[in-house]
Amino acid sequence: MTFTDFFMKIIQANLNHLDLIAPLFDQYRVFYRQDSNIEAATQFIKDRLTKKESIILLAFAESKPVGFTQLFHSFSSVSLLPLFILNDLYVNSNYRKQGFGVALLNEAKAICKKHNYKGLALQTETTNPAQKLYESLGWKIDKDLQYFWTNS
């Protein structure tokens, strides 16, 4: 057992963890240049958990919540299989490069395998340094063209 094994814990969050997740989710949004809004962040997470629209994994350092990832259910019509969209991954800046991101991503992969889903899709900014982490854990850049329409 390493120091990190003792230090780190990953759980699947539920509504009882709302007050622990919401500040991290707000920090995540600020990281992506959104205004801080803890009330809206709390409501968004509450809605996802209440409606069972996502799975949220929460990382702890000792008893302090320090990171999370959120998985949304989706489907591949071509392969006729469900998949997860890993929409959010965040680790507080004081805890980066200590294995929390790796642990969250590996737990997401384990949940995908447990449910026998096709895989995990994720999208990030081209400037996000976490791309190296994703690639080191087996994610491949999809060469297919992706388009996105914004409802303005």
Side-chain angles (χ1 to χ4, degrees):
M1 178 179 275
T2 67
F3 173 73
T4 304
D5 292 332
F6 175 73
F7 185 65
M8 181 185 314
K9 181 178 179 184
I10 308 291
I11 65 161
Q12 185 170 328
N14 59 47
L15 281 171
N16 294 328
H17 303 106
L18 184 60
D19 291 339
L20 302 176
I21 301 165
L24 289 168
F25 185 66
D26 190 56
Q27 292 169 26
Y28 165 78
R29 293 184 68 255
V30 169
F31 176 82
Y32 280 105
R33 296 167 304 283
Q34 302 301 305
D35 292 334
S36 177
N37 186 333
I38 193 67
E39 293 82 16
T42 302
Q43 188 62 52
F44 183 87
I45 295 298
K46 182 179 181 183
D47 288 346
R48 301 298 69 78
L49 291 173
T50 301
K51 296 174 183 178
K52 298 185 184 338
E53 293 175 339
S54 72
I55 293 173
I56 299 175
L57 302 174
L58 187 56
F60 290 87
E62 298 291 328
S63 60
K64 180 179 180 175
V66 299
F68 76 96
T69 192
Q70 184 164 205
L71 309 174
F72 290 93
H73 303 276
S74 191
F75 300 90
S76 167
S77 301
V78 174
S79 67
L80 306 173
L81 292 170
L83 60 94
F84 283 120
I85 298 172
L86 193 152
N87 208 53
D88 312 312
L89 173 67
Y90 179 77
V91 175
N92 178 283
S93 60
N94 296 326
Y95 293 88
R96 293 185 187 146
K97 300 196 183 295
Q98 296 180 36
F100 290 96
V102 170
L104 285 164
L105 291 169
N106 284 336
E107 186 63 24
K109 287 161 72 173
I111 289 173
C112 186
K113 289 175 183 177
K114 174 184 171 189
H115 292 284
N116 201 29
Y117 275 28
K118 177 181 179 174
L120 290 157
L122 70 85
Q123 182 178 4
T124 191
E125 291 182 335
T126 57
T127 57
N128 188 339
Q131 289 178 69
K132 292 176 185 170
L133 171 63
Y134 303 142
E135 291 172 11
S136 75
L137 295 174
W139 265 267
K140 306 277 188 254
I141 295 176
D142 188 346
K143 302 294 184 202
D144 292 335
L145 234 129
Q146 180 175 339
Y147 290 94
F148 186 80
W149 175 81
T150 300
N151 185 8
S152 50

